Amino acid sequence: MTHLKSNLILEGDCIERLQGLPAGSVYLIFADPPYNLQLGGELLRPNNTRVDGVDEAWDRFGDQAIPADSFAVYDRFTRAWLTAARRALKDDGSLWVIGSYHNIYRVGAILQDLGFWILNDVVWTKTNPMPNFRGTRFTNAHETLLWCAKGPAARYTFNYEAMKSLNEGLQMRSDWMLPLCTGGERLKSDGHKTHPTQKPESLLYRIILASSNPGEVVLDPFFGTGTTGAVAKKLGRRWIGIERDAGYIAAAQARIAAIPEAADLSLVTTINKRSEPRIPFGTVVERGYLAPGDLLYDGERRRWSAKVRADGSLISEHHRGSIHQVGAAVQGAPACNGWTFWHFEQDGQLQVIDLLRQKIRAELH
């Protein structure tokens, strides 16, 4: 198999460069393609100062005065780079594409035409959006990300526990409230934005942490000023950027070179609970952390209680079985996670029994 060089920027056309990569060599692709904004004239603030928006040539497709022509050219471009990206992506890899209402629906349809399987559409709600200065529409305060696998049966990476921990123990939702790239994070040249659509590192942090593991290759075919590479380096991932603008490349190289390598990969590695050794409740009893006859409670209200049996089962007033079965039965519920439902008393305080399972797991490492 051809060795894939990484931690570098490939200069040139994204389609040609993608086609030059070994097939099935990349674990994760994040793409922030041109939006084909169809802007008509410059945009002014109420004080008549010009808004520093997107007016670069790379965002124009076809005849901007004829929308049908512009859309047709943009669609051909989109189909070409997505086809090349699909070839470079591993079968168990995944692809993220970000866009606005100008292009994301066209991109989504082409993704499905090419066989990609959309896993989520994530709405990035900007906490500090640019106002609609003309007052003719609602303030455009969000962008949409499409997260895709190569097909419906693909075994893609999703670090669920990492996303849950990042969200203070709650399952992360598909609406993300994050600020625009501003302040010291925003790269500038001669007092102006180096890149008009630089994405915040917090956005890429979630994507890379959720969809890849340390050492895997993350590819960005529209690298710009290197946000994807910067975050990938911080999280111990390998990275490849594709960019055709020499100015953006220089800015990205300087930015990423200033970031130290992740020194301890264990700190950026997600612990998957499903891969941890299975600990039966009986092991807690065998190890002497709980004894036969000890009482367990559902919580501080102590509505229900059950006694621990020597064989690792529980017995309540009317029920007998595993920690899960008895927990479900006393509540009249179809199912129950007994590890988080039942509590034991320690020094006058109730503690969830899952703490004892985690203690045993720590002893096994």
Side-chain angles (χ1 to χ4, degrees):
M1 181 179 174
T2 304
H3 177 67
L4 180 65
K5 294 182 179 179
S6 59
N7 300 341
L8 51 79
I9 303 174
L10 302 175
E11 185 173 2
D13 177 78
C14 69
I15 298 169
E16 294 176 1
R17 284 299 197 169
L18 282 167
Q19 291 170 339
L21 294 175
S25 59
V26 177
Y27 286 91
L28 172 64
I29 296 176
F30 169 78
D32 183 9
Y35 289 5
N36 193 23
L37 293 178
Q38 306 271 316
L39 296 177
E42 64 180 11
L43 183 59
L44 301 176
R45 296 183 178 88
N47 64 2
N48 213 36
T49 57
R50 182 177 177 274
V51 175
D52 190 11
V54 182
D55 56 8
E56 279 73 8
W58 49 254
D59 195 56
R60 301 193 194 102
F61 292 83
D63 188 340
Q64 295 275 303
I66 307 174
D69 180 70
S70 181
F71 293 151
V73 175
Y74 186 79
D75 289 353
R76 287 196 295 271
F77 165 74
T78 300
R79 186 175 296 274
W81 78 258
L82 280 174
T83 299
R86 183 177 176 84
R87 174 189 164 278
L89 191 64
K90 288 181 176 290
D91 288 342
D92 55 356
S94 63
L95 165 77
W96 288 78
V97 186
I98 188 170
S100 68
Y101 69 88
H102 304 87
N103 71 322
I104 199 64
Y105 301 106
R106 310 189 77 83
V107 171
I110 294 170
L111 278 167
Q112 292 179 319
D113 288 345
L114 294 176
F116 284 98
W117 189 256
I118 297 177
L119 301 167
N120 276 115
D121 64 328
V122 174
V123 176
W124 167 31
T125 300
K126 303 170 185 178
T127 57
N128 54 342
M130 181 185 296
N132 183 273
F133 292 108
R134 291 175 178 165
T136 56
R137 306 183 187 183
F138 296 110
T139 296
N140 189 27
H142 76 277
E143 292 185 34
T144 300
L145 298 110
L146 299 178
W147 178 35
C148 314
K150 286 188 77 171
R155 296 176 63 85
Y156 55 90
T157 295
F158 178 44
N159 293 319
Y160 169 79
E161 295 297 337
M163 292 297 97
K164 190 174 179 181
S165 295
L166 205 61
N167 199 37
E168 296 188 335
L170 299 176
Q171 188 177 73
M172 187 169 284
R173 297 167 23 143
S174 62
D175 51 342
W176 297 355
M177 296 192 67
L178 299 168
L180 287 165
C181 180
T182 57
E185 186 184 340
R186 168 66 78 170
L187 301 188
K188 292 188 176 181
S189 304
D190 299 325
H192 298 285
K193 298 175 184 176
T194 304
H195 194 290
T197 63
Q198 181 183 336
K199 295 300 183 287
E201 290 193 8
S202 58
L203 184 69
L204 271 298
Y205 192 97
R206 288 193 185 183
I207 291 168
I208 293 173
L209 190 65
S211 309
S212 68
N213 295 303
E216 294 179 347
V217 177
V218 180
L219 169 70
D220 186 337
F222 306 96
F223 202 56
T225 51
T227 301
T228 300
V231 176
K233 187 175 181 181
K234 291 178 180 180
L235 292 176
R237 276 66 166 169
R238 296 155 61 202
W239 56 271
I240 297 173
I242 301 175
E243 179 53 55
R244 65 185 186 184
D245 186 290
Y248 295 160
I249 291 174
Q253 288 173 332
R255 174 187 187 182
I256 297 170
I259 297 172
E261 298 283 351
D264 186 351
L265 291 184
S266 68
L267 298 178
V268 293
T269 301
T270 298
I271 298 174
N272 187 343
K273 287 187 177 180
R274 294 180 182 179
S275 65
E276 291 182 319
R278 181 176 178 275
I279 308 295
F281 181 67
T283 304
V284 174
V285 182
E286 288 176 337
R287 297 286 183 97
Y289 291 118
L290 290 174
D294 283 351
L295 280 171
L296 302 182
Y297 304 93
D298 61 302
E300 294 294 341
R301 294 175 62 184
R302 303 187 187 225
R303 293 169 295 177
W304 298 294
S305 64
K307 283 186 178 180
V308 176
R309 291 169 50 85
D311 60 4
S313 63
L314 300 185
I315 183 169
S316 68
E317 186 177 0
H318 302 292
H319 306 285
R320 177 183 297 179
S322 71
I323 57 173
H324 313 296
Q325 291 168 335
V326 176
V330 297
Q331 299 177 84
C336 171
N337 182 349
W339 289 107
T340 56
F341 178 76
W342 293 110
H343 296 66
F344 68 101
E345 191 165 7
Q346 182 179 61
D347 299 328
Q349 301 290 323
L350 288 182
Q351 307 285 347
V352 66
I353 62 172
D354 194 45
L355 292 176
L356 303 176
R357 178 171 64 165
Q358 296 305 322
K359 186 173 184 178
I360 294 173
R361 279 181 173 155
E363 293 170 353
L364 296 176
H365 289 298

